[in-house]
Amino acid sequence: MTIFVLGAMFFGTKLDERTSFELLDRFVDAGGTTIDTANCYAFWVHPDGHGRTSEELLGRWLKARPGMRDRIQLSTKVGAEPTTDSWPAGREGLSAPVIKAGIDGSLRRLGVDRVETYWTHMEDRSVPLEETVGALNELVTAGLVGRLGASNHPAWRVEAARRIALANGWKPYEAVQLWHTYLQPRPGAKVPGKDHEFGRTTPEVLDHVRTEGLELWAYSPLMEGAYARPERLAEAYDHPGTTARLAALDAVAADLDATRHQVVLAWLAADPVIRPIVGVSSVAQLDEAIGACDLTLTPDHLTRLSTPT
């Protein structure tokens, strides 16, 4: 089994169907089990400004692979699909009718009768939490959804929703999905492309996850290849901590005869609460990520990586 989730964000848009199918087949052949998508993927690169494409492609892949559904777990999201030309203000949100229509649409596009994990994709403060949490529980009760997660939500809202669910005997959130990787930007610095206000993992988030027994699904762990091409690093990473962490990363990679990407994935996966989500655009990139599954980081490696000097 691979140590990461395969991200399908650009399947059917930036990545054509042939390439997407090849990546999906290779992932499963290597022991991969979990594929992550969303009903809004990838509206910002689609000519009509709407999502759906990734889910539709996954549905065609499953239809063309009899028996494949029994080998994989599907993860998708609701809440961020645009409804107007203004985004994020014009996104669908998390009302009960939207959640019900959202799962119906996702299941239809995927060609399945349930998904293993369903995420609320960005919070919606225009809707009472009780309404959102109650609607999600109805999906679980109906057998349409297995587990529930919150993507790009502040930790206090996640916990408030969990308290409502637990008080009512409803299914609570069991996972959060946020941007998390080895390098850290300067506090307060903006990172292009990572503009979700509550989308970044913080020490508080990690403490919350560990204390409450949640999972953290870490997206963009390889920063679009920036570990291999440091010139892609945003200016926010221009600080001494980056220099020290890259030096530690290189030292451990040399010890293991591995790449920076592989060590980053192994470092993330060494934490039992973290599941990295990896997006790739070629089989070579996927095979590199799969190679991380064979790495064993020693306690010394983990110490060197976590407390670089």
Side-chain angles (χ1 to χ4, degrees):
M1 180 181 296
T2 60
I3 62 175
F4 59 87
V5 174
L6 182 64
M9 178 183 289
F10 293 120
F11 287 7
T13 48
K14 287 187 175 182
L15 298 179
D16 62 26
E17 188 152 316
R18 182 191 64 80
T19 302
S20 300
F21 277 31
E22 187 176 15
L23 292 170
L24 289 161
D25 290 342
R26 175 71 182 109
F27 176 69
V28 175
D29 287 346
T33 58
T34 307
I35 301 165
D36 181 70
T37 186
N39 69 337
C40 69
Y41 289 165
F43 73 83
W44 56 97
V45 295
H46 197 281
D48 70 7
H50 289 282
R52 308 183 302 267
T53 310
S54 175
E55 288 183 332
E56 290 171 346
L57 183 141
L58 287 169
R60 292 192 296 274
W61 174 69
L62 286 169
K63 186 176 181 179
R65 306 287 190 273
M68 185 62 77
R69 180 65 182 101
D70 296 333
R71 300 175 60 186
I72 64 165
Q73 297 190 343
L74 290 171
S75 158
T76 194
K77 311 177 188 71
V78 65
E81 169 70 357
T83 58
T84 70
D85 291 336
S86 175
W87 194 92
R91 66 185 185 270
E92 62 188 347
L94 296 173
S95 68
V98 165
I99 288 171
K100 179 62 170 68
I103 192 62
D104 288 345
S106 289
L107 295 179
R108 183 180 65 254
R109 288 185 289 271
L110 291 164
V112 299
D113 58 8
R114 75 188 302 269
V115 293
E116 281 69 34
T117 308
Y118 200 50
W119 306 83
T120 50
H121 201 179
M122 304 176 63
E123 62 169 339
D124 181 3
R125 298 194 187 185
S126 72
V127 175
L129 271 175
E130 290 85 351
E131 178 179 343
T132 298
V133 175
L136 291 170
N137 184 69
E138 288 183 9
L139 303 187
V140 175
T141 301
L144 303 177
V145 169
R147 298 196 313 156
L148 300 169
S151 177
N152 298 321
H153 287 44
W156 74 268
R157 290 274 291 179
V158 174
E159 195 53 33
R162 281 172 43 79
R163 294 302 130 192
I164 291 170
L166 293 170
N168 285 279
W170 297 343
K171 185 78 164 179
Y173 287 131
E174 296 178 310
V176 296
Q177 188 171 147
L178 300 163
W179 171 41
H180 186 53
T181 187
Y182 178 60
L183 294 182
Q184 298 296 312
R186 293 191 310 278
K190 298 293 185 181
V191 180
K194 299 293 183 292
D195 52 0
H196 290 300
E197 185 176 7
F198 300 107
R200 183 185 300 179
T201 301
T202 64
E204 180 184 7
V205 167
L206 289 170
D207 184 58
H208 173 228
V209 166
R210 293 183 176 117
T211 300
E212 296 300 324
L214 307 180
E215 281 186 346
L216 167 61
W217 290 33
Y219 67 75
S220 297
L222 303 181
M223 298 195 296
E224 292 77 48
Y227 285 100
R229 299 181 63 180
E231 68 273 11
R232 293 184 178 181
L233 284 174
E235 189 275 336
Y237 293 94
D238 186 11
H239 61 87
T242 295
T243 303
R245 286 203 157 220
L246 287 178
L249 193 62
D250 285 338
V252 172
D255 280 355
L256 298 172
D257 191 24
T259 67
R260 283 180 172 181
H261 286 160
Q262 290 171 334
V263 176
V264 169
L265 290 178
W267 177 77
L268 289 167
D271 189 323
V273 305
I274 295 177
R275 298 190 72 183
I277 304 172
V278 178
V280 295
S281 58
S282 70
V283 171
Q285 291 176 357
L286 179 57
D287 283 343
E288 180 186 18
I290 290 170
C293 304
D294 296 325
L295 295 187
T296 300
L297 299 181
T298 66
D300 178 62
H301 289 146
L302 292 171
T303 298
R304 289 157 65 187
L305 289 166
S306 299
T307 56
T309 57

